[in-house]
Structure formats: structure tokens, C-alpha cells
Amino acid sequence: MPKELFTATVESAGHLKMKCSSSGFTFHVDEPTPLGGTDEAMSPVEALLSAFGACQCIVAKSFARKHKINLLDIQVKMEGELDTDGFTGRNKNTKIGFSKITSKFYIKADNTEQEIRDFIDFVESNCPILDTIVNTPEIVTEIYPIK
């Protein structure tokens, strides 16, 4: 399958509130009031956790039948540990991003515990967002004036 280009546009929608658009859909992100935002939407790090969990659920639902998993229901609760002293500059020795991310899978399926564990191993090894986090892509930054 050829490489496909995915795009998103993020633009200011207020003080720290941002409008995110892609494929004709939009959502907003903001920061909580203690971090200077208006708390009108989830934060970017919460959006990242949500995208990661959603990706895992989509992989699971897409491949369950092929792996003979009778997946009746799935939920993933995401937890990310982040020391805000890092990105606020209060502690230059603190990691800026997440130091730990935990995915908690809640599965309803007519399969053995081992079959489910093996299937979740497959899900994690085939989740594009997890792969992006673990195997950092090349990051390119380009700057253009707004006209």
C-alpha cells in the first residue's frame, strides 16, 4: 500500500484555545485555568491520550474477527504521568512530556484470558499511534508568514 499523507490544521480560537480541523471535522483544545487557559476543552496532552486509546480500540475492533476474538465490547482508559514543572520551565531538569503512559483495557469477549492477552499484544504492535510514540518519526518544521 502506498504512503498516504494525512493533514490537520490548528488555528487560534482564543487565548490558549485552539481549533483543530481535518477531513471536514473540527474539535477544540484548551488548557485548564491553572495553566493559563479557559478550560473550555480538553488539553493537548489529553487529546493525545484520547487519540492513542481510540487508535487501540479501532485496531482491536478491526482485527478481532480475523484473530477469532468474539469482541463484544471494548474500552481503554488512558493515564499519562506528566510533571508540569517541565514544560512551564520551573524545573529545567524535568522531562517536558509524559514520563509514563498506561493503557487499561476493559474487554468483554467470549475468549480465554490468554487469547485476549495475545490479541492485545497484537493490537499494541499494530497501533499506528503507539508506533509513532515509540519509534519517533522525523520531525520537520517549516515557517511561513501569515498574509
Side-chain angles (χ1 to χ4, degrees):
M1 192 172 195
K3 290 183 182 180
E4 193 169 327
L5 182 65
F6 292 85
T7 64
T9 300
V10 179
E11 57 189 300
S12 180
H15 178 58
L16 295 180
K17 186 176 179 183
M18 300 295 145
K19 178 182 174 185
C20 307
S21 305
S22 185
S23 300
F25 298 98
T26 63
F27 67 94
H28 289 88
V29 296
D30 195 2
E31 288 291 344
T33 49
L35 295 176
T38 55
D39 203 21
E40 294 178 9
M42 70 177 77
S43 71
V45 294
E46 292 165 331
L48 177 91
L49 291 175
S50 296
F52 183 9
C55 190
Q56 291 179 104
C57 286
I58 289 169
V59 172
K61 291 185 88 171
S62 296
F63 289 94
R65 185 175 302 189
K66 181 179 178 183
H67 287 261
K68 297 184 170 99
I69 301 296
N70 186 22
L71 187 60
L72 304 171
D73 198 8
I74 184 169
Q75 183 180 92
V76 179
K77 292 189 178 182
M78 304 299 298
E79 294 178 353
E81 293 180 16
L82 186 141
D83 186 337
T84 58
D85 281 354
F87 74 84
T88 59
R90 288 189 202 114
N91 184 344
K92 300 287 185 200
N93 298 317
T94 300
K95 185 173 179 355
I96 293 172
F98 286 119
S99 57
K100 179 180 179 183
I101 296 175
T102 303
S103 300
K104 296 181 177 184
F105 284 86
Y106 295 82
I107 305 284
K108 184 175 183 181
D110 297 333
N111 293 86
T112 67
E113 188 175 322
Q114 187 59 52
E115 289 170 331
I116 292 171
R117 286 186 186 283
D118 291 345
F119 180 60
I120 296 306
D121 286 345
F122 167 83
V123 168
E124 290 188 327
S125 66
N126 287 274
C127 173
I129 299 217
L130 177 56
D131 179 73
T132 300
I133 292 169
V134 173
N135 302 302
T136 313
E138 174 186 6
I139 304 293
V140 177
T141 301
E142 300 174 352
I143 300 172
Y144 301 93
I146 296 177
K147 295 179 183 181

